[in-house]
Amino acid sequence: MILLLKHDATEASIREVRERVQELGLSTAPLDDGRGRALEVVGSDPSRVLELRGLAAIEEILTRRTPLKGGEPIWPHFSLRVLILVLLLLAVLALLSAFLPVGLGDRAGSASGDALVEWYLLPLAGLRAILGPWTRVATGVFWVLFFAWPFLDRTETPKGRLLLKVMGAALLVLLFALGLKG
Amino acid sequence: MRRSLFGARSRVHAFLRALGRVRVSPAYRGLRWTSAAILVLFAIELVTGILLSLYYYPEPDAAYDTLRFLQGTVSGGWYMRSLHSWAGELLLLAVIVHLGHVYFRRAYAHPREYEWVVGGFLLLAALAFRFTGRLLPWDDVGARAARAGLDLLGTVPLLGPLLSTWLRGGDDLGPNTLSRFFATHVLILPWFTVAAATFHLFLVRRHGLKQDAGGALGPR
């Protein structure tokens, strides 16, 4: 449970809250909210602190499922960071659109020209160049593994996790190599 | 003491205060950033796509002419088309980066398996958006890309040949192909993507991120 105290709570009223918490057989620990107005209630039955509703210094009593550990608050720290990155992204997009505009080729004719494989399909083209008719089997196995992966991965050890990372990196290298082939 | 416009006890203030109590681990900031980038780029695609569709006509010769009109005559038309195209490229890249981030952080671990599954379908939707959109200008480059793509789609087991035949709508690219690509790009995929993304975000909200320190909005 978390006690949120009012901005303008006096020292006397905060002391009263702490004393009443101790009378309930509980204790408080300050949370790092920068203003000393958030207290985590610790004890065998923290929900008893709900009996203190109505005390002058208390603004809210919150339930908590898991304790806070480090990191930065979503608001305003992380939100502002994300906003800046999104604005940078929009700037990149605006500049790309302005200085590398998309053109319009000749009208599509009935005669087929050379195949033009888009970049995201190059690995599949490379795979087909190597495996031929077995491409269907390979892509089927790949997508089944892809969607089933979280249910198959039961790694618990650090070595196992490192192995998974190596496998992921190897797959990226393989896709890149297949793309070059395609 | 400064008073906010909405007052100290407004819902907005309470919501922001609640957000301030939820913490993000530095190790997983990247996941949230790529998610934000994907959402923003998708919104740009929706808006620019709607604006482009005001001029577009999904019939082979007319499609090319409408785009030539848009690029040459409509004020800012070329820019709108470039925004739409580049946002699509960046969106696909962001989805792939996001997927890689989830994999390498093992953010799909129990109980978040279905977020990965839905995310996989969203990746396929992003690929389908790019593929179907490429043919819509009905230019030479788009037609060649569509032919190559439909050919490759036939190599995917089970659904691949069916989808390839249905999308082509004939022996070669023609009016049927364009109308089916257009319907897929403008009607089927957006609705599917919005539904899947909503479900994906619902699951993320329900389970929290693997590392999150919890708090009032943390995982159950």
Side-chain angles (χ1 to χ4, degrees):
Chain A
M1 307 295 285
I2 300 171
L3 284 174
L4 278 185
L5 306 178
K6 291 178 181 168
H7 300 311
D8 52 359
T10 60
E11 283 301 319
S13 60
I14 294 172
R15 214 176 312 120
E16 184 195 354
V17 167
R18 288 211 174 100
E19 284 166 7
R20 293 288 297 275
V21 167
Q22 281 173 355
E23 282 170 16
L24 295 171
L26 304 168
S27 60
T28 58
L31 286 171
D32 182 18
D33 72 335
R35 291 181 302 178
R37 288 290 184 262
L39 304 172
E40 174 125 34
V41 178
V42 183
S44 56
D45 186 14
S47 61
R48 289 196 63 196
V49 80
L50 291 167
E51 295 169 25
L52 303 181
R53 264 194 199 128
L55 282 182
I58 294 179
E59 173 137 17
E60 272 181 76
I61 300 177
L62 302 172
T63 57
R64 179 196 290 293
R65 298 185 189 102
T66 53
L68 290 173
K69 288 191 195 78
E72 62 180 7
I74 284 187
W75 179 265
H77 304 69
F78 185 72
S79 300
L80 288 176
R81 198 192 295 274
V82 168
L83 179 64
I84 289 167
L85 288 171
V86 166
L87 288 174
L88 278 173
L89 172 69
L90 292 176
V92 166
L93 179 61
L95 288 171
L96 280 172
S97 303
F99 293 105
L100 293 172
V102 174
L104 192 63
D106 296 329
R107 193 184 295 268
S110 54
S112 57
D114 293 338
L116 182 69
V117 180
E118 298 258 277
W119 65 269
Y120 49 86
L121 290 175
L122 282 172
L124 186 56
L127 192 68
R128 190 171 66 167
I130 294 170
L131 294 181
W134 291 96
T135 309
R136 202 165 283 188
V137 175
T139 50
V141 168
F142 173 79
W143 285 111
V144 167
L145 278 176
F146 178 90
F147 283 104
W149 188 252
F151 304 98
L152 298 173
D153 174 20
R154 289 288 175 253
T155 313
E156 299 292 337
T157 61
K159 271 190 186 168
R161 288 184 201 132
L162 180 61
L163 179 63
L164 285 179
K165 287 184 182 178
V166 168
M167 280 167 56
L171 179 65
L172 286 174
V173 170
L174 177 64
L175 287 172
F176 183 72
L178 286 172
L180 289 176
K181 177 74 181 166
Chain B
M1 182 179 69
R2 272 188 296 171
R3 292 186 184 278
S4 73
L5 183 62
F6 299 103
R9 292 187 183 278
S10 70
R11 287 179 180 273
V12 170
H13 197 154
F15 176 68
L16 289 177
R17 250 205 340 263
L19 276 185
R21 291 188 289 274
V22 180
R23 302 182 92 87
V24 180
S25 166
Y28 288 80
R29 271 192 231 142
L31 262 179
R32 294 189 193 250
W33 183 77
T34 51
S35 309
I38 289 167
L39 287 171
V40 166
L41 287 167
F42 187 67
I44 292 171
E45 286 288 86
L46 275 179
V47 170
T48 52
I50 289 169
L51 291 173
L52 289 173
S53 69
L54 296 176
Y55 292 91
Y56 185 76
Y57 193 76
E59 193 273 328
D61 289 327
Y64 186 83
D65 292 334
T66 55
L67 278 170
R68 204 164 56 177
F69 174 75
L70 184 79
Q71 297 237 155
T73 309
V74 175
S75 178
W78 66 273
Y79 192 67
M80 201 56 53
R81 189 165 166 247
S82 293
L83 266 181
H84 190 74
S85 183
W86 276 112
E89 292 280 5
L90 292 177
L91 175 62
L92 185 54
L93 279 170
V95 168
I96 291 169
V97 169
H98 184 78
L99 181 78
H101 214 137
V102 170
Y103 175 82
F104 285 105
R105 290 287 182 192
R106 288 188 78 241
Y108 52 75
H110 180 77
R112 296 168 187 84
E113 296 93 339
Y114 289 102
E115 289 161 45
W116 171 272
V117 172
V118 176
F121 282 111
L122 286 169
L123 170 67
L124 290 175
L127 291 168
F129 263 121
R130 283 304 293 166
F131 177 59
T132 52
R134 199 61 195 86
L135 180 65
L136 298 185
W138 202 253
D139 62 354
D140 185 49
V141 174
R144 286 161 54 201
R147 281 197 188 94
L150 285 169
D151 201 28
L152 283 169
L153 186 59
T155 64
V156 175
L158 294 174
L159 287 176
L162 285 171
L163 275 174
S164 178
T165 307
W166 179 77
L167 279 170
R168 192 180 283 113
D171 294 329
D172 196 11
L173 303 186
N176 286 343
T177 319
L178 186 60
S179 63
R180 288 172 193 199
F181 269 57
F182 179 72
T184 305
H185 189 81
V186 170
L187 295 174
I188 299 171
L189 286 174
W191 283 110
F192 172 79
T193 303
V194 167
T198 304
F199 186 51
H200 185 76
L201 290 172
F202 165 75
L203 289 176
V204 170
R205 173 72 181 85
R206 183 180 170 84
H207 296 137
L209 289 187
K210 197 177 97 166
Q211 85 307 336
D212 263 346
L217 301 179
R220 294 177 192 280

